């Protein structure tokens, strides 16, 4: 179902949702940088910059409490976090590369173990994607089979129009419901044309071919060549919309505290450090190899999907210029 | 069109000089490796490279995006880089201060290094695209206050004269003055907001030449010293530990601030600590090889007014 919504009506819609108590998460400025964070007013939404972190944190926060404990004498009282208290959410202004990562994450969070923290937020969230009209030379969604108009992962998808406002297409029941509940704010599409979409510079990569090469090259000089300079931080994993590793720690005192889940990264030496002291990924190239293997081989082996949507965030922020687009392109050309 | 301030045209000749010297060194077997910069895929970008074959020296370059402090690769924390024999390293003036500090801390020996110095007019800020021109607006904040455009005591310097450099007002100086003028409560509001953005990616730690501890206090879990999760308590602890452990050691390469994906102004903390040490102990890091820093020794000149 295609509809039209003006910028003003989109703002009215968001303000109406906020007034109703819905959590509205959108790109906004926070202490100098754009992030996907809750809005207190639609006026705070900023859509002309790619948020520094991805939209995954609407479902998979940087850090969250999963349980608390209290000790009295010999008794330990455990209190679970009840996912039912997670709020209804509308996630709006989501870049196509961020929205496309959400169904990719669904696969792992609903696999052998159902992660109710992720899944409950997911059930309660309506995703409104937004087509990209600008890209830089780190963007490479087109290389991994997506595009600035990719609608995968969006319940509603907005395409900016030359006369202002957006063409709004619905892709799920959640999307239909949001339009139906706010029918007065949407109208029939007029004749205005979509604004020209962004044109990422990257050539399409044959992901199956890349995977076949990875199947056979666990040991290869490539890994030392690209990753001897990797400094082993968590920056690439933390800004990535698809990376999903986490750590679980108890924080507090002997008497009381909380069990928390927070992002982890395969770039850290500690990530595979065994209690014995042995570390099977003892050097950085082995850790970086895991990043590529997980994204372009293991996740495909397991779920038939690729764990990279070409958002280019890791390319932009890597302190030592490690460029995953260039690496995948190099493997593709082998 | 914006005017080119400062003039970066010398970087072509600098690049030529680095390549020729690296080629000579590797061909003659004088060094086992050269740590330098090479160009990346993105327009204008450059990145670290370790060259061990004279045939690869043509890949070396120096440009406004040659931002990294390569000293980090010479520390024991970077086990991947073999430290056998003499190693050549491309250094800007600000990077050299870190090497001097590492020598003082017995991490490096001068005779095992071959220093290829760079006459440097400045590099780009991390907040702009690598294809951006270097101007008074796009230059890295540290370069605005640089006192080391020409590194001294190197084994080789490309034969290029520094062009006249524009006088730029110091952003760190101004921002520190602004923060100093606030009340402690107001300052705390500012830092709480900044620390709240920290996601504990530790990019700041991993690029720092002085963060070579085999196990960072903040990674320790037997016993756990500091909360590891990115929350107010652990974040504040991390930033205090970092600032204190670098006081008297950090000489201001500003790598931590450059790489922070959350744009936390880490170098403000470093510069403030440096300012305090200058005032309290008349000490400046990175100027000469000292085997003891101001916080690891006592002299009778030290301020003792706190002993009552
Ligand atoms: S691997 Fe890099 S480019 Fe790919 S989705 Fe993650 S952050 Fe984006
Ligand atoms: S690839 Fe870059 S961002 Fe990722 S761990 Fe290595 S240095 Fe950090
Ligand atoms: S601080 Fe000085 S030496 Fe360092 S990059 Fe800037 S101008 Fe060059
Ligand atoms: S680089 Fe920034 S976000 Fe990462 S740990 Fe350091 S201060 Fe925190």
């Amino acid at each position: 179902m295609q509809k039209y919504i003006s910028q003003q009506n989109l703002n009215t819609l968001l303000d109406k949702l906020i007034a109703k108590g819905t959590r509205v998460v959108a790109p906004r400025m926070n202490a100098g940088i754009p992030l996907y964070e809750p809005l207190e007013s639609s006026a705070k939404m900023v859509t002309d910059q790619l948020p520094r972190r991805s939209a995954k944190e609407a479902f998979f926060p940087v850090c969250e409490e999963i349980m608390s404990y209290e000790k009295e004498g010999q008794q330990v009282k455990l209190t679970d976090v009840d996912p039912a208290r997670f709020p209804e959410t509308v996630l709006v202004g989501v870049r196509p590369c961020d929205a496309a990562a959400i169904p990719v994450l669904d696969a792992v969070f609903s696999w052998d173990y159902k992660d109710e923290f992720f899944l409950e937020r997911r059930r309660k969230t309506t995703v409104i994607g937004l087509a990209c009209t600008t890209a830089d030379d780190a963007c490479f969604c087109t290389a991994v089979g997506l595009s600035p108009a990719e609608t995968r992962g969006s319940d509603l998808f907005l395409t900016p129009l030359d006369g202002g406002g957006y063409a709004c297409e619905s892709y799920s029941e959640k999307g239909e419901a949001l339009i139906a509940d706010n029918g007065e704010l949407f109208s029939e599409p007029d004749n205005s044309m979509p604004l020209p979409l962004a044109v990422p510079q990257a050539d399409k990569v044959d992901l199956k071919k890349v995977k076949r090469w990875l199947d056979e090259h666990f040991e290869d000089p490539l890994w030392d060549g690209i990753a001897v300079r990797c400094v082993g931080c968590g920056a690439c994993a933390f800004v990535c919309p698809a990376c999903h590793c986490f750590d679980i720690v108890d924080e507090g005192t002997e008497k009381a505290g909380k069990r928390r889940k927070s992002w982890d990264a395969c770039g850290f030496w500690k990530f595979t450090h065994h209690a014995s002291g042995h570390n099977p990924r003892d050097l950085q190239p082995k850790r970086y190899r895991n990043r590529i293997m997980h994204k372009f081989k293991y996740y495909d082996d397991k779920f038939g999907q690729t764990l990279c949507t070409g958002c280019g965030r890791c390319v932009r922020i890597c302190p030592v210029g490690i460029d995953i687009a260039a690496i995948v392109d190099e493997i593709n050309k082998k | 069109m914006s005017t080119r301030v400062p003039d970066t045209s010398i970087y072509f000749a600098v690049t030529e000089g680095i390549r020729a010297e690296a080629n000579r060194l590797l061909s003659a077997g004088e060094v086992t490796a050269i740590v330098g910069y090479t160009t990346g895929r993105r327009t204008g970008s450059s990145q670290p490279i370790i060259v061990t074959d004279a045939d690869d020296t043509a890949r070396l370059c120096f440009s406004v995006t040659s931002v990294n402090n390569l000293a980090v690769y010479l520390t024991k924390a970077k086990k991947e880089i073999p430290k056998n024999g003499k190693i050549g390293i491309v250094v800007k003036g600000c990077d050299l201060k870190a090497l001097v500090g590492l020598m003082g801390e017995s991490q490096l020996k001068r005779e095992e290094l071959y220093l290829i110095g760079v006459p440097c007019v400045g590099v780009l800020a991390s907040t702009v695209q690598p294809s951006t021109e270097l101007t008074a607006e796009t230059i890295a904040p540290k370069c605005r206050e640089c006192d080391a455009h020409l590194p001294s005591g190197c084994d080789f310097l490309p034969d290029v004269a520094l062009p006249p450099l524009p006088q730029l007002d110091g952003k760190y100086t101004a921002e520190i003055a602004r923060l100093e003028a606030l009340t402690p409560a107001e300052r705390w509001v500012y830092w709480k907001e900044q620390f709240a953005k920290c996601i504990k990616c530790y990019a700041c730690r991993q690029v720092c030449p002085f963060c070579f501890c085999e196990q960072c206090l903040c990674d320790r879990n037997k016993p756990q010293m500091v909360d590891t999760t990115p929350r107010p308590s652990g974040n504040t602890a991390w930033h205090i530990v970092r600032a204190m452990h670098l006081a008297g050691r950090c000489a201001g390469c500003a790598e931590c601030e450059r790489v922070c994906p959350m744009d936390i102004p880490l170098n403000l903390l470093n510069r403030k600590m440096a300012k305090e040490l200058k005032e309290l102990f008349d000490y400046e890091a990175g100027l000469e090889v000292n085997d003891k820093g101001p916080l690891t020794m006592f002299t009778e000149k030290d301020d003792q007014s706190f002993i009552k």
Side-chain angles (χ1 to χ4, degrees):
Chain A
M1 154 167 69
Q2 187 162 75
K3 292 281 180 189
Y4 168 81
I5 185 165
S6 65
Q7 181 68 53
Q8 195 183 348
N9 282 2
L10 178 63
N11 291 354
T12 306
L13 172 65
L14 301 181
D15 289 328
K16 202 172 130 190
L17 289 165
I18 295 167
K20 236 179 47 185
T22 305
R23 182 174 77 130
V24 175
V25 177
R28 63 168 299 168
M29 296 308 284
N30 177 341
I33 56 170
L35 293 172
Y36 287 102
E37 293 212 323
L39 300 180
E40 63 280 6
S41 149
S42 64
K44 295 281 181 191
M45 183 158 81
V46 173
T47 53
D48 62 348
Q49 295 179 56
L50 180 74
R52 219 45 93 71
R53 305 196 298 252
S54 80
K56 75 180 172 193
E57 63 192 71
F59 314 100
F60 173 41
V62 183
C63 177
E64 69 181 306
E65 179 187 330
I66 56 177
M67 192 191 83
S68 59
Y69 64 88
E70 230 176 306
K71 203 171 155 196
E72 249 178 69
Q74 289 309 304
Q75 296 294 334
V76 181
K77 191 174 137 225
L78 301 180
T79 314
D80 278 330
V81 165
D82 181 9
R85 63 159 215 206
F86 296 158
E88 292 289 332
T89 298
V90 169
L91 178 58
V92 58
V94 185
R95 295 294 181 121
C97 49
D98 282 339
I102 302 169
V104 176
L105 291 177
D106 286 343
V108 67
F109 282 114
S110 59
W111 175 48
D112 59 343
Y113 178 80
K114 308 266 177 270
D115 185 304
E116 51 183 327
F117 299 96
F118 179 93
L119 295 173
E120 180 67 6
R121 290 196 181 88
R122 182 76 172 100
R123 265 190 293 280
K124 286 183 171 159
T125 302
T126 304
V127 179
I128 308 182
L130 174 66
C132 291
T133 50
T134 54
D136 67 8
D137 63 357
C139 291
F140 66 105
C141 54
T142 42
V144 293
L146 302 171
S147 86
E150 176 63 45
T151 60
R152 192 166 181 242
S154 291
D155 297 301
L156 283 181
F157 192 77
L158 303 173
T159 308
L161 299 173
D162 61 0
Y166 306 91
C168 176
E169 184 88 39
S170 154
Y171 291 91
S172 72
E173 280 173 18
K174 280 184 192 165
E176 305 277 332
L178 194 66
I179 295 182
D181 291 349
N182 300 280
E184 75 285 3
L185 298 172
F186 294 86
S187 55
E188 291 314 308
D190 63 7
N191 304 330
S192 43
M193 294 295 289
L195 282 178
L197 290 177
V199 188
Q201 304 297 308
D203 294 338
K204 194 161 169 24
V205 159
D206 179 348
L207 293 169
K208 289 292 161 203
K209 184 177 163 200
V210 169
K211 185 188 171 311
R212 278 198 303 277
W213 188 87
L214 293 173
D215 284 340
E216 320 236 292
H217 293 86
F218 188 76
E219 302 293 348
D220 194 89
L222 178 88
W223 308 118
D224 268 353
I226 56 179
V228 77
R229 69 182 191 276
C230 173
V231 293
C233 62
C236 51
F238 288 2
V239 297
C240 177
C243 278
H244 51 259
C245 287
F246 56 83
D247 192 13
I248 292 181
V249 290
D250 291 347
E251 291 180 333
T253 62
E254 200 189 340
K255 291 239 174 311
K258 296 189 189 310
R259 176 159 295 176
R260 299 195 171 104
K261 167 178 163 189
S262 62
W263 293 352
D264 204 348
C266 57
F268 292 144
W269 73 272
K270 213 172 59 154
F271 189 80
T272 48
H273 191 231
H274 295 177
S276 66
H278 173 67
N279 195 338
R281 295 185 202 143
D282 53 347
L283 295 174
Q284 210 54 42
K286 295 187 189 168
R287 299 179 201 131
Y288 192 78
R289 172 179 62 198
N290 183 70
R291 179 169 171 79
I292 300 289
M293 285 285 180
H294 191 190
K295 291 193 173 293
F296 297 95
K297 168 176 157 56
Y298 307 147
Y299 210 76
D300 189 324
D301 283 337
K302 217 161 213 146
F303 303 116
Q305 305 198 57
T306 298
L307 206 51
C308 168
T309 61
C311 73
R313 281 193 183 84
C314 59
V315 179
R316 290 179 204 97
I317 56 92
C318 176
V320 297
I322 293 182
D323 180 340
I324 200 168
I327 294 164
V328 173
D329 190 55
E330 181 180 340
I331 296 175
N332 188 49
K333 288 190 176 126
K334 280 184 187 284
Chain B
M1 204 185 105
S2 58
T3 45
R4 252 182 199 275
V5 259
D7 174 8
T8 56
S9 57
I10 59 162
Y11 289 168
F12 296 103
V14 169
T15 295
E16 289 308 314
I18 293 171
R19 285 179 185 165
E21 184 64 2
N23 192 296
R24 188 190 69 75
L25 290 167
L26 284 169
S27 306
E30 282 184 36
V31 298
T32 54
I34 305 270
V35 187
Y37 306 95
T38 188
T39 51
R41 172 189 65 99
R42 299 180 69 197
T43 309
S45 67
S46 61
Q47 61 203 30
I49 187 173
I50 290 118
V51 178
T52 51
D53 188 337
D55 291 344
D56 288 335
T57 50
R59 294 176 65 192
L60 291 164
C61 76
F62 189 84
S63 75
V64 292
T65 53
S66 300
V67 287
N68 299 67
N69 183 348
L70 302 172
V72 71
Y73 290 114
L74 302 185
T75 68
K76 66 178 178 205
K78 299 292 171 283
K79 297 186 179 60
E80 330 17 62
I81 317 291
K83 315 275 188 312
N84 40 8
K86 198 168 191 165
I87 297 183
I89 180 167
V90 177
V91 282
K92 307 186 286 291
C94 51
D95 306 337
L96 182 63
K97 292 182 183 177
L99 288 176
V100 166
L102 289 168
M103 287 177 215
E105 295 186 22
S106 306
Q107 298 302 310
L108 296 175
K109 292 201 185 83
R110 178 66 182 89
E111 60 276 17
E112 286 172 4
L113 300 176
Y114 189 94
L115 304 179
I116 304 176
V118 173
C120 176
V121 301
V123 295
L124 280 176
S126 60
T127 44
V128 299
Q129 296 275 349
S131 56
T132 312
E133 220 178 344
L134 190 75
T135 66
E137 285 73 47
T138 62
I139 196 166
K142 67 171 173 180
C143 305
R144 306 178 74 90
E145 294 170 48
C146 174
D147 59 6
H149 293 282
L150 206 58
S152 56
C154 290
D155 298 297
F156 171 84
L157 262 184
D159 184 17
V160 207
L162 271 177
L165 293 164
Q167 276 294 318
L168 302 170
D169 50 320
K171 290 202 169 153
Y172 291 124
T173 311
E175 187 62 359
I176 287 175
R178 184 184 75 82
L179 291 171
E180 283 173 344
L182 300 177
T183 64
E186 291 167 332
R187 234 178 353 253
W188 185 227
V189 170
Y190 172 81
W191 284 112
K192 260 208 312 217
E193 194 186 37
Q194 292 299 330
F195 295 160
K197 291 187 293 182
C198 177
I199 49 177
K200 289 273 182 85
C201 71
Y202 291 125
C204 50
R205 179 182 72 188
Q206 298 306 104
V207 294
C208 175
F210 293 102
C211 283
F212 54 75
C213 294
E214 299 213 45
Q215 191 170 43
C216 176
L217 182 84
C218 296
D219 271 347
R220 205 172 287 175
N221 59 6
K222 288 182 294 186
Q224 177 130 334
M225 311 293 279
V226 169
D227 281 1
T228 55
T229 57
R231 294 185 63 261
S233 73
N235 282 2
T236 309
W238 161 237
H239 288 280
I240 292 173
V241 167
R242 205 194 64 83
M244 288 306 295
H245 199 187
L246 289 165
R249 306 168 72 215
C250 166
C253 70
E255 279 289 87
C256 49
E257 179 172 287
R258 170 182 76 83
V259 304
C260 176
M262 299 296 118
D263 288 5
I264 300 172
L266 296 167
N267 199 35
L268 275 181
L269 293 172
N270 303 338
R271 302 298 20 94
K272 173 65 179 167
M273 296 309 277
K275 189 175 168 217
E276 297 273 301
L277 289 179
K278 176 82 184 157
E279 284 162 12
L280 285 170
F281 303 105
D282 193 26
Y283 184 87
E284 250 178 273
L287 298 185
E288 55 191 27
V289 178
N290 289 321
D291 58 358
K292 290 243 172 12
L295 298 188
T296 49
M297 65 174 175
F298 171 78
T299 76
E300 294 197 343
K301 283 194 299 184
D302 287 359
D303 175 33
Q304 295 171 32
S305 60
F306 63 94
I307 306 173
K308 298 259 152 69

